[in-house]
C-alpha cells in the first residue's frame, strides 16, 4: 500500500514538473548533472556559447571556467553587472552584451587581447573603460543606444577598428580620438546632439559610410569633401542650410538617396537655402554641376 502510494506521488510530481515553467537550457543541463562544457558548440571557426534571452539578472559562475569559448552571446537578458572574471575568457573573439542593463564594463575587459567584435548596444553605459583600448585586435564596436557623451583618449590605440557605432548616445561633438582611427570604414553617429563635424574628419581616409542623421549639425565641413572613399553620407534631419562647394569631389556618391538603406547622399529634412531644395530634386549630377559652377564663379 505504501509503495503504491509513493508511486502515485511520484507520478503527480512528474506531471507537475512537466507542466511547470521550462528551465533555461544552461540550468537544465547543470541540474541534470551535465558538465557546463556540454553547452559549448564547436563550429568551423569558433567554439561558441549562446545564452540569449534567458532572463538572467546575473551571470552564472560556471561561465568563467569555460576558457575555450571564443564566441559568447549574453544579449537580451537583464544583466546589471559583468564581473571582473570576464578577463579569464582570454580566447574570446566575439562578445555580445547587447540588450541588458549594464551601467559599466569591468576594466578587466582589457585582458581580452583576442577580441575582434564587441556589442554593448542597448544598455545604460555612461562611460567606457580606458582599458578597452588594450584590445588592439578589435575591429567592430557597437556602443549604440547608451548614455555616453565622451570616449577615453586611449581609444587612439584601437588602430584595427573598422566599424564603430555610437548612435543614440549623448555626444555633443565627435570625440577627438576617433580622428586617429585611420582604419575606420563605417562610422555611425546618428541621433546624438552634434552641432558640427570637425575639419579633422578628413583624416579618416578609408571611411566609406558616415551617418550623422538626426543631430543639430548646421553645416558640413569642406574637409569632408576630400574623403574620396565615401559611398554613403547620411546627414538627414539636421539644421543644414548650405552645402560645401567641393562636395562634387565625392565621386563615389552615386545618387541623392531617399531610402535609408541606399548608398549615396542623404540630405533630406534640412532647411536648405534656395535654390538648393530645387537643385537636389534634380538629382546628384544636377547638384554637383551647380556646386562646381558656383565655385568657379566665386
Amino acid at each position: 500500500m505504501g509503495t503504491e502510494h509513493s508511486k502515485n506521488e511520484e507520478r503527480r510530481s512528474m506531471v507537475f514538473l512537466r507542466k511547470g515553467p521550462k528551465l533555461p537550457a544552461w540550468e537544465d543541463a547543470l541540474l541534470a548533472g551535465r558538465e557546463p562544457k556540454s553547452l559549448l558548440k564547436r563550429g568551423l571557426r569558433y567554439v561558441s556559447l549562446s545564452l540569449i534571452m534567458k532572463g538572467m539578472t546575473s551571470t552564472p559562475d560556471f561561465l568563467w571556467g569555460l576558457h575555450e569559448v571564443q564566441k559568447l552571446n549574453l544579449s537580451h537578458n537583464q544583466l546589471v553587472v559583468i564581473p571582473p572574471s570576464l578577463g579569464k575568457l582570454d580566447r574570446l573573439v566575439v562578445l555580445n552584451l547587447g540588450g541588458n542593463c549594464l551601467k559599466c564594463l569591468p576594466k578587466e575587459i582589457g585582458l581580452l587581447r583576442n577580441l575582434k567584435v564587441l556589442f554593448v548596444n542597448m544598455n545604460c553605459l555612461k562611460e567606457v573603460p580606458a582599458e578597452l583600448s588594450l584590445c588592439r585586435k578589435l575591429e567592430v564596436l557597437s556602443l549604440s543606444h547608451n548614455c555616453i557623451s565622451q570616449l577615453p583618449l586611449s581609444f587612439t590605440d584601437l588602430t584595427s577598428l573598422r566599424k564603430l557605432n555610437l548612435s543614440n548616445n549623448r555626444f555633443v561633438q565627435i570625440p577627438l580620438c576617433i580622428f586617429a582611427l585611420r582604419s575606420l570604414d563605417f562610422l555611425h553617429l546618428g541621433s546624438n546632439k552634434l552641432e558640427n563635424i570637425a575639419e579633422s574628419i578628413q583624416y579618416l581616409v578609408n571611411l566609406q559610410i558616415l551617418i550623422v542623421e538626426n543631430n543639430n549639425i548646421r553645416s558640413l565641413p569642406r574637409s569632408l569633401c576630400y574623403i574620396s572613399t565615401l559611398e554613403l553620407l547620411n546627414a538627414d534631419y539636421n539644421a543644414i542650410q548650405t552645402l560645401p562647394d567641393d562636395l562634387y569631389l565625392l565621386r563615389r556618391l552615386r545618387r541623392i538617396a531617399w531610402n535609408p538603406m541606399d548608398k549615396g547622399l542623404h540630405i533630406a529634412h534640412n532647411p536648405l537655402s534656395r535654390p538648393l531644395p530645387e537643385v537636389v530634386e534634380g538629382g546628384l549630377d544636377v547638384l554637383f554641376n551647380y556646386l562646381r559652377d558656383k565655385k568657379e564663379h566665386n
Side-chain angles (χ1 to χ4, degrees), residues 12-57:
R12 278 197 289 270
S13 298
M14 296 277 290
V15 170
F16 176 76
L17 285 172
R18 281 198 294 269
K19 289 183 178 179
K22 189 175 180 180
L23 290 169
W26 64 271
E27 285 188 4
D28 192 26
L30 294 182
L31 288 173
R34 288 162 55 193
E35 280 288 321
K37 286 186 179 182
S38 67
L39 297 169
L40 297 177
K41 292 185 178 179
R42 301 178 185 276
L44 293 175
R45 293 187 63 189
Y46 300 123
V47 176
S48 62
L49 173 62
S50 179
L51 298 175
I52 306 174
M53 299 178 68
K54 302 299 183 185
M56 297 187 299
T57 55

Side-chain angles (χ1 to χ4, degrees), residues 40-288:
L40 297 177
K41 292 185 178 179
R42 301 178 185 276
L44 293 175
R45 293 187 63 189
Y46 300 123
V47 176
S48 62
L49 173 62
S50 179
L51 298 175
I52 306 174
M53 299 178 68
K54 302 299 183 185
M56 297 187 299
T57 55
S58 62
T59 51
D61 289 339
F62 74 81
L63 188 58
W64 315 120
L66 301 177
H67 303 294
E68 301 165 76
V69 69
Q70 295 168 288
K71 187 175 180 180
L72 176 61
N73 194 337
L74 300 175
S75 64
H76 301 288
N77 284 286
Q78 287 98 46
L79 299 176
V80 178
V81 173
I82 298 294
S85 302
L86 174 67
K88 295 179 180 179
L89 304 183
D90 55 5
R91 294 187 188 180
L92 277 181
V93 177
V94 180
L95 175 59
N96 191 342
L97 300 172
N100 280 287
C101 308
L102 302 175
K103 293 183 178 180
C104 63
L105 293 173
K107 63 182 182 180
E108 286 78 8
I109 198 168
L111 298 174
L112 307 181
R113 303 298 169 85
N114 291 300
L115 197 63
K116 290 185 178 182
V117 179
L118 175 61
F119 291 99
V120 204
N121 51 300
M122 294 186 288
N123 275 280
C124 308
L125 299 182
K126 290 186 177 180
E127 59 183 10
V128 184
E131 288 80 5
L132 183 58
S133 62
L134 297 173
C135 302
R136 303 288 170 81
K137 294 183 180 181
L138 199 61
E139 297 178 7
V140 179
L141 174 60
S142 178
L143 296 167
S144 70
H145 294 83
N146 278 284
C147 306
I148 306 167
S149 59
Q150 58 186 0
L151 295 176
L153 285 175
S154 60
F155 260 47
T156 55
D157 294 332
L158 293 176
T159 54
S160 297
L161 199 62
R162 295 187 299 106
K163 303 187 187 301
L164 177 59
N165 191 339
L166 297 173
S167 63
N168 291 273
N169 274 285
R170 298 179 180 177
F171 292 99
V172 175
Q173 60 184 12
I174 301 176
L176 290 176
C177 59
I178 288 180
F179 302 127
L181 306 178
R182 306 296 168 82
S183 296
L184 274 188
D185 57 41
F186 175 97
L187 177 58
H188 195 339
L189 284 157
S191 299
N192 276 281
K193 300 179 179 181
L194 301 179
E195 296 183 356
N196 61 66
I197 299 175
E199 294 286 346
S200 301
I201 193 75
Q202 65 183 311
Y203 296 126
L204 301 182
V205 294
N206 290 299
L207 202 59
Q208 297 176 24
I209 296 176
L210 175 60
I211 303 173
V212 290
E213 64 176 347
N214 195 27
N215 278 285
N216 302 311
I217 298 169
R218 296 187 176 88
S219 63
L220 298 176
R222 183 180 180 185
S223 64
L224 182 63
C225 306
Y226 304 139
I227 306 177
S228 59
T229 51
L230 265 185
E231 298 178 0
L232 190 158
L233 171 56
N234 189 339
D236 286 347
Y237 294 98
N238 275 283
I240 299 170
Q241 295 184 20
T242 62
L243 296 174
D245 292 346
D246 289 333
L247 197 66
Y248 67 87
L249 296 174
L250 297 177
R251 303 187 188 281
R252 293 199 183 183
L253 296 181
R254 299 298 185 188
R255 69 184 101 177
I256 299 290
W258 305 100
N259 187 318
M261 302 301 294
D262 287 344
K263 290 185 177 180
L265 174 63
H266 297 252
I267 199 65
H269 304 286
N270 279 283
L272 296 173
S273 58
R274 291 187 177 279
L276 281 176
E278 293 80 6
V279 174
V280 169
E281 286 287 339
L284 193 64
D285 288 340
V286 174
L287 173 62
F288 280 1

